[in-house]
Amino acid sequence: MTQHKLIEMTRSLVAHGEADTMEYADEVVRIPVSSYTDPQLFEREKKQIFKRLPLMVAPSCELPEPGDYKAMDICGVPLLLTRQKDGTVAAFLNMCTHRGNPIAEGIGNASRFLCGYHGWTFKNNGELLGVASPQDFGKIDKAAHCLTRFPCYESAGLIWATLDPKSKLDIADYLCGYDELLSAFGFENWHLFSQRTLPGPNWKTAYDGYLDFYHLPVLHKDTFGADFYNRANYFAFGPHQRLSTPTKFAVKVQSDDDQQIDLTQIADEDLSYEVLVQGVWTIFPHISIASFYGGGLRGAMISQLFPGSEVGESFTTQYYVMEQEPDDEAKIKAAHEQFDFLEIVVRDEDYKTGKRQHEALQSGMMEHVLFGRNEKGGQVFHQWVDKLVNASDDDLQGIFRREMAEAAE
Ligand code: FES
Ligand SMILES: [Fe+2]
């Protein structure tokens, strides 16, 4: 099914490229400026989207070994991810059940955690192992004071968690089969080369840019965009969207001289997986994945966006993952250069523009922004944000079961 679907998408891109056409949205859509600037809406988005829907919290290769853990903070919620003895990943509220102190910080490897405040200990499967000075503390039911567990799901070399311990939304349903397609990358066998976190503008202003090829040859003309097409076709799987250029060519980048391949001349079974997954893969509400070659090795940048504390702030963690670990100095240097280049593009072009745009929108002098018929991805993204911000907890399951059923048809 995965291979078939990927081929079908590629053939559609090639046919559009040959005919010099693209897929259009039905109409130009207006989005109220308040959708980017209203602090109350921003708080609702954090509550209804980030604290209620599954989020891609880490690539699997960030926690490859049993005992590996990562602590992070998402919209004020302290999260602890641990890889268990059996190889599965678990997600917990990173708060000691004594008085709430976070029991872990950063990343590391541990089979148990000692709370730094009074010394309670927890296993990395969340069990409360020991109360400090139990004879003095008084009797409590240890089994009832384990770490709070969040729903967690690992697939396609990526880890999702839902920051609502009572969530009834099945994470696989939420993904609408998209993770099966993502599995074509084989991320479960990749390596985390480097990562960093950048400040950015409002999370939706920032995310709009990841769903947009229209800006590539203009905003990025001095870095990589000068020769890029500004067209993208969108493939939606529930709220998750892949975007890719409608073209019949694929650039062969494994050799030094970039050579174009005419895909109309290649049989389906000979299409390489690099061709089948080209473009940008976004995972609602906050992930973008783009892959490329750097210094002869295949890499991908996974960008993970979170709202900041104010409506005009976000931060983005960029994970640079590689199919093979670079094993000599030249390759390591090339990979660093590629990653540094991507930081510059995002920081000095996308986010710098997003910050200026946001400040201008804050003036209150404009009521709507526009998404053209060629900007279907942005239209679809904003429709989903709207729908999910306003959905009740009980609606969520139904919404994604319907999407799942449609995707299966
Ligand atoms: S808060 Fe953790 S031991 Fe007291
Ligand atoms: Fe950009």
Side-chain angles (χ1 to χ4, degrees), residues 170-202:
D170 186 69
I171 300 180
D173 280 355
Y174 171 77
L175 293 172
C176 306
Y178 194 59
D179 52 326
E180 281 174 42
L181 298 172
L182 285 168
S183 68
F185 282 99
F187 285 140
E188 59 275 24
N189 300 316
W190 287 36
H191 306 271
L192 179 60
F193 175 70
S194 187
Q195 70 186 88
R196 62 165 72 94
T197 299
L198 308 175
N202 170 271

mmCIF file of all heavy atoms in Angstrom, residues 170-202:
data_model
loop_
_atom_site.group_PDB
_atom_site.id
_atom_site.type_symbol
_atom_site.label_atom_id
_atom_site.label_comp_id
_atom_site.label_asym_id
_atom_site.label_seq_id
_atom_site.Cartn_x
_atom_site.Cartn_y
_atom_site.Cartn_z
ATOM 1 N N ASP A 170 -6.953 7.638 19.622
ATOM 2 C CA ASP A 170 -5.904 6.693 19.263
ATOM 3 C C ASP A 170 -4.886 7.404 18.359
ATOM 4 O O ASP A 170 -5.263 8.017 17.357
ATOM 5 C CB ASP A 170 -6.566 5.526 18.524
ATOM 6 C CG ASP A 170 -5.578 4.426 18.242
ATOM 7 O OD1 ASP A 170 -5.140 3.783 19.198
ATOM 8 O OD2 ASP A 170 -5.217 4.248 17.058
ATOM 9 N N ILE A 171 -3.610 7.321 18.713
ATOM 10 C CA ILE A 171 -2.615 8.104 17.958
ATOM 11 C C ILE A 171 -2.509 7.594 16.515
ATOM 12 O O ILE A 171 -2.354 8.379 15.582
ATOM 13 C CB ILE A 171 -1.245 8.112 18.680
ATOM 14 C CG1 ILE A 171 -1.407 8.739 20.082
ATOM 15 C CG2 ILE A 171 -0.204 8.898 17.879
ATOM 16 C CD1 ILE A 171 -0.138 8.811 20.924
ATOM 17 N N ALA A 172 -2.641 6.291 16.331
ATOM 18 C CA ALA A 172 -2.600 5.756 14.956
ATOM 19 C C ALA A 172 -3.775 6.303 14.145
ATOM 20 O O ALA A 172 -3.620 6.641 12.963
ATOM 21 C CB ALA A 172 -2.612 4.233 14.977
ATOM 22 N N ASP A 173 -4.947 6.403 14.741
ATOM 23 C CA ASP A 173 -6.103 6.990 14.036
ATOM 24 C C ASP A 173 -5.797 8.428 13.642
ATOM 25 O O ASP A 173 -6.098 8.870 12.531
ATOM 26 C CB ASP A 173 -7.358 7.022 14.931
ATOM 27 C CG ASP A 173 -8.053 5.676 14.995
ATOM 28 O OD1 ASP A 173 -7.627 4.758 14.279
ATOM 29 O OD2 ASP A 173 -9.015 5.554 15.782
ATOM 30 N N TYR A 174 -5.214 9.139 14.594
ATOM 31 C CA TYR A 174 -4.886 10.556 14.359
ATOM 32 C C TYR A 174 -3.975 10.712 13.131
ATOM 33 O O TYR A 174 -4.060 11.696 12.407
ATOM 34 C CB TYR A 174 -4.217 11.122 15.614
ATOM 35 C CG TYR A 174 -3.644 12.504 15.448
ATOM 36 C CD1 TYR A 174 -4.469 13.622 15.438
ATOM 37 C CD2 TYR A 174 -2.273 12.695 15.307
ATOM 38 C CE1 TYR A 174 -3.941 14.899 15.284
ATOM 39 C CE2 TYR A 174 -1.736 13.965 15.155
ATOM 40 C CZ TYR A 174 -2.577 15.064 15.136
ATOM 41 O OH TYR A 174 -2.043 16.317 14.974
ATOM 42 N N LEU A 175 -3.106 9.731 12.926
ATOM 43 C CA LEU A 175 -2.138 9.851 11.833
ATOM 44 C C LEU A 175 -2.716 9.465 10.468
ATOM 45 O O LEU A 175 -2.101 9.713 9.431
ATOM 46 C CB LEU A 175 -0.886 9.020 12.142
ATOM 47 C CG LEU A 175 -0.095 9.587 13.331
ATOM 48 C CD1 LEU A 175 1.026 8.644 13.736
ATOM 49 C CD2 LEU A 175 0.471 10.960 12.999
ATOM 50 N N CYS A 176 -3.900 8.871 10.460
ATOM 51 C CA CYS A 176 -4.616 8.614 9.200
ATOM 52 C C CYS A 176 -3.769 7.845 8.179
ATOM 53 O O CYS A 176 -3.870 8.105 6.967
ATOM 54 C CB CYS A 176 -5.086 9.930 8.574
ATOM 55 S SG CYS A 176 -6.074 10.970 9.653
ATOM 56 N N GLY A 177 -2.922 6.948 8.649
ATOM 57 C CA GLY A 177 -2.106 6.151 7.717
ATOM 58 C C GLY A 177 -0.851 6.858 7.240
ATOM 59 O O GLY A 177 -0.031 6.276 6.523
ATOM 60 N N TYR A 178 -0.673 8.112 7.622
ATOM 61 C CA TYR A 178 0.463 8.914 7.149
ATOM 62 C C TYR A 178 1.787 8.317 7.621
ATOM 63 O O TYR A 178 2.792 8.381 6.918
ATOM 64 C CB TYR A 178 0.283 10.324 7.703
ATOM 65 C CG TYR A 178 1.123 11.418 7.109
ATOM 66 C CD1 TYR A 178 1.068 11.735 5.760
ATOM 67 C CD2 TYR A 178 1.932 12.201 7.928
ATOM 68 C CE1 TYR A 178 1.810 12.793 5.235
ATOM 69 C CE2 TYR A 178 2.674 13.261 7.409
ATOM 70 C CZ TYR A 178 2.615 13.543 6.056
ATOM 71 O OH TYR A 178 3.336 14.593 5.551
ATOM 72 N N ASP A 179 1.804 7.741 8.816
ATOM 73 C CA ASP A 179 3.059 7.179 9.332
ATOM 74 C C ASP A 179 3.540 6.009 8.472
ATOM 75 O O ASP A 179 4.739 5.768 8.351
ATOM 76 C CB ASP A 179 2.967 6.786 10.817
ATOM 77 C CG ASP A 179 1.785 5.908 11.130
ATOM 78 O OD1 ASP A 179 0.722 6.077 10.499
ATOM 79 O OD2 ASP A 179 1.906 5.031 12.004
ATOM 80 N N GLU A 180 2.588 5.310 7.850
ATOM 81 C CA GLU A 180 3.014 4.211 6.959
ATOM 82 C C GLU A 180 3.810 4.765 5.781
ATOM 83 O O GLU A 180 4.778 4.175 5.324
ATOM 84 C CB GLU A 180 1.795 3.470 6.417
ATOM 85 C CG GLU A 180 1.207 2.499 7.407
ATOM 86 C CD GLU A 180 -0.076 1.894 6.881
ATOM 87 O OE1 GLU A 180 -0.131 1.553 5.681
ATOM 88 O OE2 GLU A 180 -1.023 1.791 7.675
ATOM 89 N N LEU A 181 3.382 5.917 5.287
ATOM 90 C CA LEU A 181 4.107 6.535 4.176
ATOM 91 C C LEU A 181 5.459 7.061 4.652
ATOM 92 O O LEU A 181 6.476 6.887 3.983
ATOM 93 C CB LEU A 181 3.289 7.668 3.568
ATOM 94 C CG LEU A 181 1.944 7.246 2.971
ATOM 95 C CD1 LEU A 181 1.129 8.463 2.582
ATOM 96 C CD2 LEU A 181 2.160 6.363 1.750
ATOM 97 N N LEU A 182 5.449 7.667 5.825
ATOM 98 C CA LEU A 182 6.705 8.184 6.384
ATOM 99 C C LEU A 182 7.717 7.065 6.609
ATOM 100 O O LEU A 182 8.925 7.301 6.613
ATOM 101 C CB LEU A 182 6.436 8.902 7.709
ATOM 102 C CG LEU A 182 5.790 10.286 7.616
ATOM 103 C CD1 LEU A 182 5.308 10.747 8.980
ATOM 104 C CD2 LEU A 182 6.765 11.311 7.040
ATOM 105 N N SER A 183 7.212 5.851 6.794
ATOM 106 C CA SER A 183 8.127 4.737 7.069
ATOM 107 C C SER A 183 9.037 4.477 5.862
ATOM 108 O O SER A 183 10.072 3.825 5.995
ATOM 109 C CB SER A 183 7.366 3.476 7.474
ATOM 110 O OG SER A 183 6.653 2.991 6.361
ATOM 111 N N ALA A 184 8.681 5.014 4.686
ATOM 112 C CA ALA A 184 9.529 4.828 3.498
ATOM 113 C C ALA A 184 10.920 5.433 3.696
ATOM 114 O O ALA A 184 11.890 4.998 3.078
ATOM 115 C CB ALA A 184 8.867 5.445 2.272
ATOM 116 N N PHE A 185 11.025 6.440 4.568
ATOM 117 C CA PHE A 185 12.343 7.027 4.840
ATOM 118 C C PHE A 185 13.256 6.045 5.584
ATOM 119 O O PHE A 185 14.468 6.118 5.480
ATOM 120 C CB PHE A 185 12.204 8.284 5.714
ATOM 121 C CG PHE A 185 11.756 9.519 4.984
ATOM 122 C CD1 PHE A 185 10.433 9.937 5.016
ATOM 123 C CD2 PHE A 185 12.675 10.289 4.285
ATOM 124 C CE1 PHE A 185 10.021 11.088 4.358
ATOM 125 C CE2 PHE A 185 12.277 11.443 3.619
ATOM 126 C CZ PHE A 185 10.943 11.840 3.653
ATOM 127 N N GLY A 186 12.658 5.173 6.376
ATOM 128 C CA GLY A 186 13.459 4.254 7.198
ATOM 129 C C GLY A 186 14.135 4.931 8.373
ATOM 130 O O GLY A 186 15.214 4.522 8.820
ATOM 131 N N PHE A 187 13.514 5.974 8.910
ATOM 132 C CA PHE A 187 14.138 6.754 9.993
ATOM 133 C C PHE A 187 14.531 5.911 11.211
ATOM 134 O O PHE A 187 15.388 6.308 11.992
ATOM 135 C CB PHE A 187 13.210 7.876 10.465
ATOM 136 C CG PHE A 187 13.117 9.046 9.526
ATOM 137 C CD1 PHE A 187 11.899 9.672 9.293
ATOM 138 C CD2 PHE A 187 14.247 9.536 8.872
ATOM 139 C CE1 PHE A 187 11.802 10.760 8.433
ATOM 140 C CE2 PHE A 187 14.159 10.625 8.010
ATOM 141 C CZ PHE A 187 12.932 11.235 7.795
ATOM 142 N N GLU A 188 13.905 4.754 11.393
ATOM 143 C CA GLU A 188 14.232 3.960 12.590
ATOM 144 C C GLU A 188 15.690 3.509 12.589
ATOM 145 O O GLU A 188 16.237 3.184 13.639
ATOM 146 C CB GLU A 188 13.264 2.771 12.794
ATOM 147 C CG GLU A 188 13.187 1.775 11.664
ATOM 148 C CD GLU A 188 12.192 2.185 10.573
ATOM 149 O OE1 GLU A 188 11.890 3.393 10.432
ATOM 150 O OE2 GLU A 188 11.729 1.295 9.846
ATOM 151 N N ASN A 189 16.301 3.509 11.393
ATOM 152 C CA ASN A 189 17.718 3.119 11.341
ATOM 153 C C ASN A 189 18.658 4.300 11.143
ATOM 154 O O ASN A 189 19.845 4.121 10.882
ATOM 155 C CB ASN A 189 17.932 2.117 10.198
ATOM 156 C CG ASN A 189 17.106 0.870 10.406
ATOM 157 O OD1 ASN A 189 17.049 0.346 11.515
ATOM 158 N ND2 ASN A 189 16.415 0.412 9.374
ATOM 159 N N TRP A 190 18.134 5.514 11.201
ATOM 160 C CA TRP A 190 18.966 6.685 10.982
ATOM 161 C C TRP A 190 19.634 7.118 12.293
ATOM 162 O O TRP A 190 19.385 6.535 13.344
ATOM 163 C CB TRP A 190 18.126 7.846 10.403
ATOM 164 C CG TRP A 190 17.742 7.653 8.958
ATOM 165 C CD1 TRP A 190 17.427 6.471 8.349
ATOM 166 C CD2 TRP A 190 17.608 8.665 7.957
ATOM 167 N NE1 TRP A 190 17.119 6.695 7.025
ATOM 168 C CE2 TRP A 190 17.209 8.032 6.757
ATOM 169 C CE3 TRP A 190 17.778 10.046 7.943
ATOM 170 C CZ2 TRP A 190 16.997 8.737 5.576
ATOM 171 C CZ3 TRP A 190 17.561 10.741 6.762
ATOM 172 C CH2 TRP A 190 17.174 10.086 5.588
ATOM 173 N N HIS A 191 20.475 8.149 12.186
ATOM 174 C CA HIS A 191 21.239 8.624 13.348
ATOM 175 C C HIS A 191 20.968 10.103 13.562
ATOM 176 O O HIS A 191 20.824 10.849 12.589
ATOM 177 C CB HIS A 191 22.739 8.420 13.107
ATOM 178 C CG HIS A 191 23.056 7.009 12.739
ATOM 179 N ND1 HIS A 191 23.332 6.048 13.685
ATOM 180 C CD2 HIS A 191 23.073 6.397 11.535
ATOM 181 C CE1 HIS A 191 23.510 4.897 13.058
ATOM 182 N NE2 HIS A 191 23.359 5.079 11.766
ATOM 183 N N LEU A 192 20.952 10.491 14.801
ATOM 184 C CA LEU A 192 20.816 11.921 15.092
ATOM 185 C C LEU A 192 22.214 12.527 15.061
ATOM 186 O O LEU A 192 23.069 12.193 15.877
ATOM 187 C CB LEU A 192 20.171 12.105 16.482
ATOM 188 C CG LEU A 192 19.984 13.557 16.927
ATOM 189 C CD1 LEU A 192 19.095 14.327 15.962
ATOM 190 C CD2 LEU A 192 19.382 13.595 18.328
ATOM 191 N N PHE A 193 22.434 13.407 14.110
ATOM 192 C CA PHE A 193 23.758 14.008 13.956
ATOM 193 C C PHE A 193 23.907 15.232 14.851
ATOM 194 O O PHE A 193 24.928 15.416 15.525
ATOM 195 C CB PHE A 193 23.980 14.388 12.477
ATOM 196 C CG PHE A 193 25.265 15.116 12.230
ATOM 197 C CD1 PHE A 193 26.486 14.462 12.340
ATOM 198 C CD2 PHE A 193 25.265 16.467 11.908
ATOM 199 C CE1 PHE A 193 27.684 15.132 12.122
ATOM 200 C CE2 PHE A 193 26.454 17.146 11.690
ATOM 201 C CZ PHE A 193 27.664 16.472 11.799
ATOM 202 N N SER A 194 22.887 16.076 14.864
ATOM 203 C CA SER A 194 22.984 17.313 15.627
ATOM 204 C C SER A 194 21.586 17.898 15.807
ATOM 205 O O SER A 194 20.655 17.522 15.091
ATOM 206 C CB SER A 194 23.872 18.290 14.851
ATOM 207 O OG SER A 194 24.134 19.432 15.613
ATOM 208 N N GLN A 195 21.448 18.798 16.748
ATOM 209 C CA GLN A 195 20.165 19.475 16.916
ATOM 210 C C GLN A 195 20.381 20.845 17.536
ATOM 211 O O GLN A 195 21.404 21.102 18.176
ATOM 212 C CB GLN A 195 19.203 18.659 17.773
ATOM 213 C CG GLN A 195 19.593 18.571 19.226
ATOM 214 C CD GLN A 195 18.660 17.613 19.954
ATOM 215 O OE1 GLN A 195 18.908 16.409 19.991
ATOM 216 N NE2 GLN A 195 17.609 18.128 20.544
ATOM 217 N N ARG A 196 19.423 21.722 17.310
ATOM 218 C CA ARG A 196 19.484 23.052 17.919
ATOM 219 C C ARG A 196 18.085 23.633 17.970
ATOM 220 O O ARG A 196 17.179 23.132 17.306
ATOM 221 C CB ARG A 196 20.399 23.962 17.108
ATOM 222 C CG ARG A 196 19.929 24.196 15.690
ATOM 223 C CD ARG A 196 20.656 25.359 15.072
ATOM 224 N NE ARG A 196 22.026 25.078 14.753
ATOM 225 C CZ ARG A 196 22.469 24.661 13.564
ATOM 226 N NH1 ARG A 196 21.617 24.453 12.590
ATOM 227 N NH2 ARG A 196 23.743 24.457 13.338
ATOM 228 N N THR A 197 17.922 24.672 18.784
ATOM 229 C CA THR A 197 16.602 25.289 18.925
ATOM 230 C C THR A 197 16.691 26.772 18.586
ATOM 231 O O THR A 197 17.605 27.457 19.038
ATOM 232 C CB THR A 197 16.076 25.073 20.359
ATOM 233 O OG1 THR A 197 15.967 23.662 20.576
ATOM 234 C CG2 THR A 197 14.698 25.696 20.547
ATOM 235 N N LEU A 198 15.771 27.243 17.762
ATOM 236 C CA LEU A 198 15.755 28.630 17.305
ATOM 237 C C LEU A 198 14.464 29.325 17.728
ATOM 238 O O LEU A 198 13.402 28.722 17.649
ATOM 239 C CB LEU A 198 15.745 28.700 15.770
ATOM 240 C CG LEU A 198 16.769 27.958 14.945
ATOM 241 C CD1 LEU A 198 16.419 28.117 13.478
ATOM 242 C CD2 LEU A 198 18.125 28.546 15.221
ATOM 243 N N PRO A 199 14.549 30.589 18.120
ATOM 244 C CA PRO A 199 13.315 31.331 18.379
ATOM 245 C C PRO A 199 12.678 31.752 17.052
ATOM 246 O O PRO A 199 13.390 31.967 16.065
ATOM 247 C CB PRO A 199 13.791 32.560 19.163
ATOM 248 C CG PRO A 199 15.217 32.743 18.773
ATOM 249 C CD PRO A 199 15.763 31.395 18.365
ATOM 250 N N GLY A 200 11.364 31.870 17.039
ATOM 251 C CA GLY A 200 10.676 32.272 15.809
ATOM 252 C C GLY A 200 9.444 33.106 16.119
ATOM 253 O O GLY A 200 9.178 33.422 17.275
ATOM 254 N N PRO A 201 8.696 33.450 15.078
ATOM 255 C CA PRO A 201 7.480 34.258 15.259
ATOM 256 C C PRO A 201 6.302 33.388 15.722
ATOM 257 O O PRO A 201 6.492 32.203 16.005
ATOM 258 C CB PRO A 201 7.237 34.789 13.851
ATOM 259 C CG PRO A 201 7.760 33.710 12.952
ATOM 260 C CD PRO A 201 8.930 33.105 13.678
ATOM 261 N N ASN A 202 5.118 33.943 15.757
ATOM 262 C CA ASN A 202 3.903 33.177 16.079
ATOM 263 C C ASN A 202 3.955 31.794 15.412
ATOM 264 O O ASN A 202 4.360 31.684 14.255
ATOM 265 C CB ASN A 202 2.679 33.965 15.576
ATOM 266 C CG ASN A 202 1.398 33.144 15.645
ATOM 267 O OD1 ASN A 202 1.064 32.437 14.694
ATOM 268 N ND2 ASN A 202 0.718 33.209 16.744
#
